[in-house]
Amino acid sequence: MTSLPTRTVGPFTVSAIGLGCMNLSHAYLPRPDAAEAERLLRHALDVGVTFFDTAALYGFGANEELLGRTLMDRRGDFTLASKCVLGEIDGKRGLDGSPEAIAKVLEDSLRRLQVDHIDLYYLHRLDPKVPIEESVGALVRAKEAGKIGAIGLSEMSAATLRRAHAVHPIAAMQTEYSLWTRNAEVAVLGACAQLGTGFVAFSPVGRGLLAGNPNAANLPQGDIRASMPRFQPPHLAANLALVDGLKALADQAGCTAAQLCLAWLLAKEDHVVPIPGTTSIAHLDEDLATLARVWPDDLMAAVEALFPFSAPSGPRYPREAQAQVDTECWVGEPLA
Protein backbone atom coordinates (compact mmCIF):
# COMPACT_ATOMS: atom_id res chain seq x y z
CA MET A 1 0.00 0.00 0.00
CA THR A 2 1.39 3.40 -0.99
CA SER A 3 0.54 6.74 0.63
CA LEU A 4 -1.11 9.86 -0.73
CA PRO A 5 -1.30 13.42 0.64
CA THR A 6 -3.96 13.67 3.32
CA ARG A 7 -6.68 16.00 4.51
CA THR A 8 -8.94 16.05 7.55
CA VAL A 9 -12.63 15.20 7.59
CA GLY A 10 -13.92 15.66 11.11
CA PRO A 11 -11.81 13.40 13.34
CA PHE A 12 -10.44 11.42 10.39
CA THR A 13 -7.26 11.85 8.39
CA VAL A 14 -7.98 10.59 4.88
CA SER A 15 -6.41 10.63 1.44
CA ALA A 16 -6.92 14.06 -0.12
CA ILE A 17 -8.94 12.38 -2.87
CA GLY A 18 -11.36 9.64 -1.82
CA LEU A 19 -13.45 7.22 -3.85
CA GLY A 20 -17.17 7.59 -4.42
CA CYS A 21 -18.40 4.02 -4.91
CA MET A 22 -21.94 4.71 -6.19
CA ASN A 23 -21.41 4.05 -9.88
CA LEU A 24 -20.05 0.56 -9.24
CA SER A 25 -23.62 -0.49 -8.39
CA HIS A 26 -26.07 2.32 -9.07
CA ALA A 27 -27.28 5.22 -11.22
CA TYR A 28 -24.73 5.23 -14.06
CA LEU A 29 -24.41 2.78 -16.94
CA PRO A 30 -22.69 0.63 -17.99
CA ARG A 31 -21.76 -0.93 -14.66
CA PRO A 32 -18.77 -3.20 -14.17
CA ASP A 33 -19.22 -6.86 -13.36
CA ALA A 34 -18.52 -7.99 -9.81
CA ALA A 35 -14.91 -9.01 -10.49
CA GLU A 36 -14.08 -5.68 -12.15
CA ALA A 37 -15.66 -3.71 -9.30
CA GLU A 38 -13.78 -5.71 -6.69
CA ARG A 39 -10.52 -5.26 -8.59
CA LEU A 40 -10.99 -1.48 -8.72
CA LEU A 41 -11.72 -1.26 -4.99
CA ARG A 42 -8.67 -3.32 -4.07
CA HIS A 43 -6.51 -1.27 -6.42
CA ALA A 44 -7.73 1.97 -4.86
CA LEU A 45 -6.69 0.73 -1.44
CA ASP A 46 -3.33 -0.48 -2.76
CA VAL A 47 -2.48 2.93 -4.28
CA GLY A 48 -3.33 4.87 -1.13
CA VAL A 49 -7.02 5.78 -1.15
CA THR A 50 -8.16 5.71 2.47
CA PHE A 51 -11.68 7.17 2.17
CA PHE A 52 -14.47 5.04 0.68
CA ASP A 53 -18.00 6.40 0.34
CA THR A 54 -21.14 4.29 -0.07
CA ALA A 55 -24.84 4.49 0.92
CA ALA A 56 -27.85 2.32 1.61
CA LEU A 57 -29.42 3.78 -1.54
CA TYR A 58 -26.73 2.58 -3.95
CA GLY A 59 -28.06 -0.50 -5.65
CA PHE A 60 -30.57 -0.69 -2.77
CA GLY A 61 -27.84 -2.25 -0.62
CA ALA A 62 -25.76 -3.90 -3.34
CA ASN A 63 -22.95 -1.34 -3.08
CA GLU A 64 -22.58 -1.85 0.66
CA GLU A 65 -22.50 -5.61 0.07
CA LEU A 66 -19.76 -5.10 -2.55
CA LEU A 67 -17.58 -3.16 -0.10
CA GLY A 68 -18.35 -5.64 2.64
CA ARG A 69 -17.06 -8.65 0.76
CA THR A 70 -14.15 -6.84 -0.90
CA LEU A 71 -12.48 -4.52 1.61
CA MET A 72 -13.24 -5.56 5.15
CA ASP A 73 -10.26 -7.88 5.48
CA ARG A 74 -8.29 -4.59 5.48
CA ARG A 75 -10.71 -2.66 7.67
CA GLY A 76 -7.97 -0.86 9.56
CA ASP A 77 -6.54 0.73 6.41
CA PHE A 78 -9.35 3.15 5.53
CA THR A 79 -12.20 5.37 6.70
CA LEU A 80 -15.64 4.00 5.80
CA ALA A 81 -18.60 6.29 5.12
CA SER A 82 -22.20 5.37 4.42
CA LYS A 83 -25.61 7.06 4.49
CA CYS A 84 -29.24 6.67 5.51
CA VAL A 85 -32.64 8.43 5.05
CA LEU A 86 -32.63 8.26 1.24
CA GLY A 87 -33.17 4.67 0.21
CA GLU A 88 -35.58 1.96 -0.84
CA ILE A 89 -39.15 2.38 0.33
CA ASP A 90 -41.68 -0.08 -1.12
CA GLY A 91 -39.31 -0.85 -3.97
CA LYS A 92 -38.75 2.78 -4.93
CA ARG A 93 -36.41 5.63 -3.98
CA GLY A 94 -37.83 7.58 -1.05
CA LEU A 95 -37.08 9.56 2.12
CA ASP A 96 -37.55 8.48 5.72
CA GLY A 97 -35.66 10.45 8.33
CA SER A 98 -37.58 9.13 11.31
CA PRO A 99 -35.45 7.80 14.17
CA GLU A 100 -37.03 4.36 13.78
CA ALA A 101 -36.16 4.15 10.09
CA ILE A 102 -32.63 5.43 10.67
CA ALA A 103 -32.01 2.77 13.33
CA LYS A 104 -33.26 0.01 11.03
CA VAL A 105 -31.30 1.18 7.98
CA LEU A 106 -28.14 1.42 10.07
CA GLU A 107 -28.53 -2.18 11.26
CA ASP A 108 -29.04 -3.30 7.66
CA SER A 109 -25.95 -1.36 6.56
CA LEU A 110 -23.78 -2.86 9.29
CA ARG A 111 -24.89 -6.33 8.20
CA ARG A 112 -24.26 -5.72 4.51
CA LEU A 113 -20.89 -4.10 5.17
CA GLN A 114 -19.91 -6.93 7.52
CA VAL A 115 -18.83 -4.50 10.25
CA ASP A 116 -20.03 -3.48 13.69
CA HIS A 117 -18.96 0.18 13.27
CA ILE A 118 -19.18 2.73 10.42
CA ASP A 119 -16.72 5.58 10.78
CA LEU A 120 -18.80 8.36 9.21
CA TYR A 121 -22.56 8.06 8.81
CA TYR A 122 -24.53 10.68 6.89
CA LEU A 123 -28.13 11.74 6.68
CA HIS A 124 -28.24 11.40 2.88
CA ARG A 125 -31.00 13.98 2.45
CA LEU A 126 -33.22 16.16 4.61
CA ASP A 127 -36.61 14.57 5.18
CA PRO A 128 -38.93 17.62 5.34
CA LYS A 129 -41.45 15.63 7.39
CA VAL A 130 -38.98 15.13 10.26
CA PRO A 131 -37.19 17.90 12.19
CA ILE A 132 -33.46 17.67 11.55
CA GLU A 133 -32.93 17.61 15.31
CA GLU A 134 -34.82 14.30 15.56
CA SER A 135 -32.83 12.69 12.74
CA VAL A 136 -29.53 13.85 14.21
CA GLY A 137 -30.66 12.62 17.62
CA ALA A 138 -31.01 9.12 16.21
CA LEU A 139 -27.41 9.26 15.02
CA VAL A 140 -26.23 10.57 18.38
CA ARG A 141 -27.74 7.49 19.99
CA ALA A 142 -26.04 5.29 17.37
CA LYS A 143 -22.73 6.95 18.15
CA GLU A 144 -23.22 6.47 21.88
CA ALA A 145 -23.89 2.79 21.17
CA GLY A 146 -20.58 2.53 19.30
CA LYS A 147 -22.21 1.79 15.94
CA ILE A 148 -20.93 4.93 14.19
CA GLY A 149 -17.96 7.20 14.81
CA ALA A 150 -19.08 10.56 13.46
CA ILE A 151 -22.15 12.26 11.99
CA GLY A 152 -22.48 13.82 8.55
CA LEU A 153 -25.10 15.54 6.40
CA SER A 154 -25.54 15.49 2.63
CA GLU A 155 -27.06 18.05 0.23
CA MET A 156 -28.20 20.36 3.03
CA SER A 157 -28.06 24.11 3.56
CA ALA A 158 -25.99 26.19 5.92
CA ALA A 159 -29.09 26.86 8.04
CA THR A 160 -29.81 23.14 8.39
CA LEU A 161 -26.16 22.47 9.17
CA ARG A 162 -26.25 24.99 12.02
CA ARG A 163 -29.44 23.45 13.45
CA ALA A 164 -27.90 19.98 13.29
CA HIS A 165 -24.61 21.17 14.74
CA ALA A 166 -26.47 22.61 17.74
CA VAL A 167 -27.54 19.04 18.58
CA HIS A 168 -24.17 17.41 17.96
CA PRO A 169 -20.97 18.45 16.13
CA ILE A 170 -21.26 17.58 12.44
CA ALA A 171 -18.07 16.05 11.07
CA ALA A 172 -18.79 16.40 7.36
CA MET A 173 -21.11 17.91 4.80
CA GLN A 174 -21.27 16.05 1.50
CA THR A 175 -22.65 17.98 -1.45
CA GLU A 176 -22.25 18.11 -5.20
CA TYR A 177 -19.44 20.57 -5.91
CA SER A 178 -17.59 21.09 -9.14
CA LEU A 179 -16.81 23.74 -11.69
CA TRP A 180 -20.34 23.49 -13.05
CA THR A 181 -22.13 23.14 -9.68
CA ARG A 182 -20.84 25.84 -7.36
CA ASN A 183 -23.88 26.17 -5.06
CA ALA A 184 -21.74 25.26 -2.05
CA GLU A 185 -19.99 28.61 -2.36
CA VAL A 186 -23.23 30.47 -1.64
CA ALA A 187 -23.18 29.66 2.08
CA VAL A 188 -22.55 26.11 3.21
CA LEU A 189 -18.84 25.95 2.38
CA GLY A 190 -18.23 28.96 4.60
CA ALA A 191 -20.43 27.56 7.35
CA CYS A 192 -18.39 24.37 7.31
CA ALA A 193 -15.19 26.37 7.75
CA GLN A 194 -16.69 28.27 10.69
CA LEU A 195 -17.95 25.14 12.43
CA GLY A 196 -14.95 22.91 11.76
CA THR A 197 -17.00 20.64 9.51
CA GLY A 198 -15.23 18.90 6.65
CA PHE A 199 -16.62 19.27 3.14
CA VAL A 200 -16.83 16.20 0.90
CA ALA A 201 -17.38 17.05 -2.76
CA PHE A 202 -19.27 14.46 -4.78
CA SER A 203 -19.49 14.50 -8.59
CA PRO A 204 -16.34 16.68 -8.74
CA VAL A 205 -15.98 16.19 -12.52
CA GLY A 206 -19.57 17.03 -13.36
CA ARG A 207 -20.91 13.47 -13.43
CA GLY A 208 -18.25 12.61 -15.99
CA LEU A 209 -19.18 15.32 -18.47
CA LEU A 210 -16.32 17.64 -17.53
CA ALA A 211 -13.87 14.78 -17.92
CA GLY A 212 -14.90 14.48 -21.55
CA ASN A 213 -17.30 11.51 -21.33
CA PRO A 214 -17.65 10.50 -25.00
CA ASN A 215 -21.08 8.96 -24.34
CA ALA A 216 -22.68 12.07 -22.85
CA ALA A 217 -24.93 12.55 -25.86
CA ASN A 218 -25.96 8.88 -26.01
CA LEU A 219 -26.60 7.79 -22.45
CA PRO A 220 -28.37 4.43 -22.25
CA GLN A 221 -31.90 4.15 -20.91
CA GLY A 222 -31.69 3.66 -17.15
CA ASP A 223 -28.67 5.93 -16.67
CA ILE A 224 -29.81 8.56 -14.16
CA ARG A 225 -27.98 11.30 -16.06
CA ALA A 226 -30.31 10.87 -19.02
CA SER A 227 -33.07 12.45 -16.90
CA MET A 228 -30.94 15.42 -15.87
CA PRO A 229 -31.59 18.61 -17.84
CA ARG A 230 -27.91 19.40 -18.34
CA PHE A 231 -27.54 16.17 -20.31
CA GLN A 232 -30.57 16.88 -22.50
CA PRO A 233 -31.13 19.13 -25.53
CA PRO A 234 -30.86 22.04 -25.83
CA HIS A 235 -28.60 22.29 -22.78
CA LEU A 236 -26.16 19.51 -23.63
CA ALA A 237 -24.64 21.25 -26.67
CA ALA A 238 -23.90 24.37 -24.62
CA ASN A 239 -22.36 22.31 -21.85
CA LEU A 240 -20.19 20.34 -24.25
CA ALA A 241 -18.86 23.66 -25.56
CA LEU A 242 -17.77 24.48 -22.00
CA VAL A 243 -15.93 21.18 -21.89
CA ASP A 244 -14.12 22.07 -25.12
CA GLY A 245 -12.74 25.18 -23.41
CA LEU A 246 -11.67 23.18 -20.37
CA LYS A 247 -9.97 20.58 -22.54
CA ALA A 248 -8.06 23.31 -24.39
CA LEU A 249 -6.72 24.61 -21.07
CA ALA A 250 -5.81 21.09 -20.01
CA ASP A 251 -3.96 20.44 -23.26
CA GLN A 252 -1.94 23.63 -22.76
CA ALA A 253 -1.12 22.60 -19.18
CA GLY A 254 -0.17 19.04 -20.15
CA CYS A 255 -2.85 17.37 -18.04
CA THR A 256 -6.39 16.07 -18.37
CA ALA A 257 -9.66 17.94 -17.90
CA ALA A 258 -10.50 15.73 -14.92
CA GLN A 259 -7.23 16.64 -13.25
CA LEU A 260 -7.96 20.35 -13.73
CA CYS A 261 -11.38 19.88 -12.10
CA LEU A 262 -9.89 18.12 -9.10
CA ALA A 263 -6.97 20.53 -8.77
CA TRP A 264 -9.37 23.48 -8.78
CA LEU A 265 -11.46 21.94 -5.99
CA LEU A 266 -8.42 21.11 -3.89
CA ALA A 267 -7.18 24.67 -4.28
CA LYS A 268 -10.48 26.22 -3.16
CA GLU A 269 -10.34 25.31 0.55
CA ASP A 270 -8.20 23.05 2.70
CA HIS A 271 -11.29 21.37 4.17
CA VAL A 272 -12.55 20.13 0.77
CA VAL A 273 -12.07 16.43 -0.08
CA PRO A 274 -13.30 15.36 -3.54
CA ILE A 275 -14.62 11.82 -4.00
CA PRO A 276 -14.71 11.13 -7.74
CA GLY A 277 -16.29 7.87 -8.82
CA THR A 278 -15.10 5.67 -11.65
CA THR A 279 -15.32 2.14 -12.98
CA SER A 280 -11.87 2.40 -14.57
CA ILE A 281 -8.55 1.75 -12.85
CA ALA A 282 -6.83 3.95 -15.44
CA HIS A 283 -9.17 6.85 -14.66
CA LEU A 284 -8.68 6.33 -10.92
CA ASP A 285 -4.90 6.53 -11.35
CA GLU A 286 -5.34 9.64 -13.50
CA ASP A 287 -7.43 11.29 -10.78
CA LEU A 288 -4.92 10.47 -8.05
CA ALA A 289 -2.03 11.79 -10.15
CA THR A 290 -3.55 15.24 -9.55
CA LEU A 291 -2.02 15.09 -6.07
CA ALA A 292 1.52 14.66 -7.41
CA ARG A 293 1.63 17.99 -9.22
CA VAL A 294 1.94 21.63 -8.17
CA TRP A 295 -0.80 23.67 -9.81
CA PRO A 296 -0.03 27.34 -10.52
CA ASP A 297 -2.48 29.96 -9.27
CA ASP A 298 -2.84 31.54 -12.69
CA LEU A 299 -3.95 28.21 -14.18
CA MET A 300 -6.54 27.76 -11.44
CA ALA A 301 -7.78 31.32 -12.09
CA ALA A 302 -8.09 30.57 -15.80
CA VAL A 303 -10.09 27.42 -15.05
CA GLU A 304 -12.45 29.31 -12.75
CA ALA A 305 -12.92 32.10 -15.29
CA LEU A 306 -14.38 29.53 -17.71
CA PHE A 307 -17.05 28.54 -15.20
CA PRO A 308 -18.89 31.37 -13.47
CA PHE A 309 -21.98 30.26 -11.57
CA SER A 310 -24.15 30.89 -14.62
CA ALA A 311 -21.94 29.01 -17.12
CA PRO A 312 -23.75 25.65 -17.18
CA SER A 313 -26.94 25.44 -19.22
CA GLY A 314 -29.95 23.94 -17.50
CA PRO A 315 -30.96 22.90 -13.96
CA ARG A 316 -28.74 20.36 -12.25
CA TYR A 317 -31.66 18.10 -11.22
CA PRO A 318 -35.07 17.19 -12.64
CA ARG A 319 -38.02 18.41 -10.58
CA GLU A 320 -38.48 15.35 -8.33
CA ALA A 321 -34.80 15.13 -7.40
CA GLN A 322 -34.54 18.90 -6.87
CA ALA A 323 -37.36 18.64 -4.33
CA GLN A 324 -35.19 16.27 -2.28
CA VAL A 325 -32.26 18.65 -1.80
CA ASP A 326 -31.95 21.43 0.76
CA THR A 327 -28.94 23.19 -0.75
CA GLU A 328 -28.84 26.92 -1.45
CA CYS A 329 -29.47 28.23 -4.95
CA TRP A 330 -27.53 31.07 -6.50
CA VAL A 331 -29.37 34.16 -7.69
CA GLY A 332 -30.88 33.43 -11.08
CA GLU A 333 -30.25 29.70 -10.99
CA PRO A 334 -32.58 27.78 -13.33
CA LEU A 335 -34.64 25.23 -11.44
CA ALA A 336 -36.63 22.33 -12.87
Side-chain angles (χ1 to χ4, degrees):
M1 180 175 173
T2 59
S3 60
L4 296 171
T6 60
R7 290 196 167 185
T8 300
V9 176
F12 309 109
T13 298
V14 301
S15 53
I17 293 176
L19 181 66
C21 300
M22 179 189 77
N23 59 348
L24 298 175
S25 312
H26 186 79
Y28 298 171
L29 296 173
R31 293 182 198 129
D33 64 28
E36 291 173 315
E38 292 166 9
R39 190 158 47 246
L40 182 133
L41 289 169
R42 299 289 293 190
H43 178 80
L45 202 50
D46 287 341
V47 296
V49 174
T50 61
F51 191 30
F52 290 80
D53 182 271
T54 183
L57 173 71
Y58 303 158
F60 291 171
N63 197 247
E64 290 180 325
E65 290 176 348
L66 169 66
L67 269 66
R69 68 175 181 264
T70 305
L71 296 181
M72 298 313 154
D73 61 325
R74 296 171 63 178
R75 183 66 188 89
D77 293 343
F78 63 93
T79 296
L80 174 65
S82 193
K83 313 179 194 73
C84 59
V85 177
L86 180 61
E88 181 183 8
I89 300 176
D90 297 328
K92 297 187 294 186
R93 168 179 165 139
L95 294 172
D96 192 341
S98 67
E100 297 79 11
I102 288 171
K104 180 183 183 305
V105 171
L106 174 57
E107 291 300 326
D108 290 342
S109 292
L110 291 168
R111 172 180 50 79
R112 289 190 293 255
L113 288 161
Q114 301 182 32
V115 297
D116 58 12
H117 179 90
I118 297 171
D119 299 311
L120 174 60
Y121 202 55
Y122 295 94
L123 302 175
H124 204 161
R125 293 289 190 275
L126 176 67
D127 182 349
K129 303 183 300 298
V130 181
I132 188 65
E133 291 83 359
E134 291 186 17
S135 297
V136 172
L139 295 190
V140 172
R141 290 188 289 277
K143 181 179 178 183
E144 290 170 347
K147 295 178 181 181
I148 66 173
I151 296 171
L153 309 178
S154 178
E155 288 278 55
M156 298 189 199
S157 66
T160 301
L161 169 61
R162 293 185 189 283
R163 284 176 58 189
H165 195 80
V167 177
H168 186 280
I170 301 301
M173 173 68 75
Q174 182 176 149
T175 290
E176 184 176 1
Y177 187 26
S178 69
L179 283 164
W180 82 336
T181 301
R182 296 179 59 183
N183 300 61
E185 295 175 31
V186 174
V188 77
L189 195 63
C192 286
Q194 293 169 0
L195 297 173
T197 298
F199 189 94
V200 178
F202 78 80
S203 295
V205 293
R207 301 183 183 274
L209 188 76
L210 300 183
N213 182 350
N215 300 315
N218 298 288
L219 293 168
Q221 186 175 4
D223 189 308
I224 195 173
R225 292 168 293 186
S227 69
M228 294 180 170
R230 291 181 181 180
F231 287 86
Q232 299 172 341
H235 305 297
L236 180 61
N239 291 326
L240 288 174
L242 285 174
V243 176
D244 289 341
L246 183 65
K247 187 176 184 304
L249 268 182
D251 289 344
Q252 293 170 18
C255 65
T256 67
Q259 288 171 338
L260 277 188
C261 292
L262 293 168
W264 175 82
L265 271 174
L266 291 163
K268 291 298 287 185
E269 300 285 352
D270 289 341
H271 63 290
V272 173
V273 176
I275 52 166
T278 184
T279 61
S280 161
I281 286 176
H283 287 165
L284 173 63
D285 289 344
E286 173 191 319
D287 291 345
L288 298 178
T290 306
L291 298 171
R293 179 167 171 172
V294 175
W295 299 92
D297 292 344
D298 59 344
L299 176 58
M300 295 297 95
V303 170
E304 182 159 325
L306 278 177
F307 286 88
F309 276 64
S310 59
S313 181
R316 71 178 178 120
Y317 280 129
R319 182 172 288 105
E320 183 178 359
Q322 181 64 43
Q324 292 183 333
V325 301
D326 177 51
T327 49
E328 289 88 1
C329 298
W330 46 268
V331 176
E333 178 176 358
L335 298 175

